[in-house]
């Protein structure tokens, strides 16, 4: 993502303020990218109007689409300095409409707003958000209603000691894309890597086992690997954070402590039974964050929606 040429900004018809569009416009002004303000709409009642002919139903749908296009164009009329236009599709599954548009037209980035729960001050992700995180081949930027401050902070979550080739490649992607966004946002970058606590049952079953020594060895190994990974990208050891605990606990805690406006994280895109039974660590992390999220897939990832 060292270059962004085309951005798909997903419009939310239920909200007056279009956070995704504002973030897309900001990025486009810095990169020269083209922006498409995209909306997927569907109303089942138009499909069930049996009193009308097929042509009449299609004409009604076209009228609704044109009305929504006019609404978006009104929002865009005061946007200057970038190449921007609207696109409205009639589709009963918004995430499918978004992903198929990405595949068809080769978008480099999807930007979508998230909903914030005012009472809990936490982000609520919709089913469309989760489908995009799991299945969209392009990077997905999920944004809140807050601007990125100048000289802010971006956190890149890595798995520095994985022996999985796909995860190792994804680490490289996460850091390089995070550095690219840092340049655009004039932000500082930190890496975060977590390691597991010592299993309690080992100390019970093996009397001669020294849990303190084991824990120190694990910590040292993770630190060395994280520092080495950071060094490849000229990231100082002081900007590499290694903490014991589950990723879904540690990463949101570090993001809050650093006042990060964005966390960059990799997702393997599990779907179907494997997603239901195994789950996805990245999804647990994302669900606990209270800031913008950039979710990346491994290079060569094929969406299940590809033909």
């Amino acid at each position: 993502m060292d270059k962004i040429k085309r951005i798909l900004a997903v419009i939310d018809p239920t909200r007056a303020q279009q956070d995704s569009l504002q973030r897309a416009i900001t990025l486009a002004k810095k990169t020269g990218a083209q922006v498409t303000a995209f909306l997927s709409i569907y109303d089942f009642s138009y499909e069930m109007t049996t009193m009308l002919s097929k042509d009449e139903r299609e004409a009604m749908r076209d009228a609704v689409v044109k009305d929504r296009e006019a609404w978006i164009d009104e929002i865009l009329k005061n946007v200057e300095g970038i190449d921007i236009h609207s696109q409205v599709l009639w589709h009963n599954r918004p995430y499918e409409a978004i992903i198929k548009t990405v595949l068809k037209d080769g978008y480099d980035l999807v930007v979508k707003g998230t909903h914030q729960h005012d009472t809990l001050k936490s982000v609520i992700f919709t089913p469309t958000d989760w489908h995009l995180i799991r299945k969209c081949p392009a990077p997905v930027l999920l944004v809140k209603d807050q601007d990125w401050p100048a000289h802010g902070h971006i956190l890149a979550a890595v798995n520095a000691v994985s022996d999985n080739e796909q995860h190792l490649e994804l680490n490289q992607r996460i850091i390089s894309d995070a550095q690219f966004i840092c340049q655009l946002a004039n932000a500082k970058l930190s890496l975060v890597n977590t390691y597991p606590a010592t299993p309690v049952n080992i100390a019970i079953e093996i009397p001669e086992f020294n849990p303190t020594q084991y824990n120190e060895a694990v910590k040292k190994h993770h630190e060395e690997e994280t520092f080495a990974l950071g060094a490849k990208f000229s990231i100082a050891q002081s900007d590499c954070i290694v903490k014991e605990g589950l990723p879904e606990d540690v990463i949101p805690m570090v993001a809050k402590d650093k006042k990060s406006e964005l966390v960059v994280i990799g997702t393997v895109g599990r779907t179907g039974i494997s997603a239901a039974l195994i789950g996805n660590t990245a999804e647990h992390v994302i669900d606990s964050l209270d800031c913008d999220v950039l979710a990346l897939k491994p290079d060569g990832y094929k969406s299940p929606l590809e033909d």
Side-chain angles (χ1 to χ4, degrees), residues 128-146:
T128 297
D129 297 337
W130 290 119
H131 279 297
L132 292 177
I133 290 168
R134 293 167 184 158
K135 301 171 186 175
C136 183
V140 177
L141 177 59
L142 298 171
V143 302
K144 290 173 56 179
D145 59 353
Q146 298 171 350

Side-chain angles (χ1 to χ4, degrees), residues 198-205:
T198 304
V200 177
N201 61 311
I202 294 182
I204 296 172
E205 295 172 5

Side-chain angles (χ1 to χ4, degrees), residues 14-42:
T14 68
R15 297 171 73 91
Q17 180 174 313
Q18 298 298 327
D19 303 318
S20 62
L21 183 60
Q22 293 305 314
R23 187 77 81 246
I25 290 170
T26 300
L27 290 171
K29 288 180 177 179
K30 293 178 180 290
T31 62
Q34 177 202 69
V35 176
T36 299
F38 180 87
L39 175 62
S40 168
I41 58 171
Y42 184 79

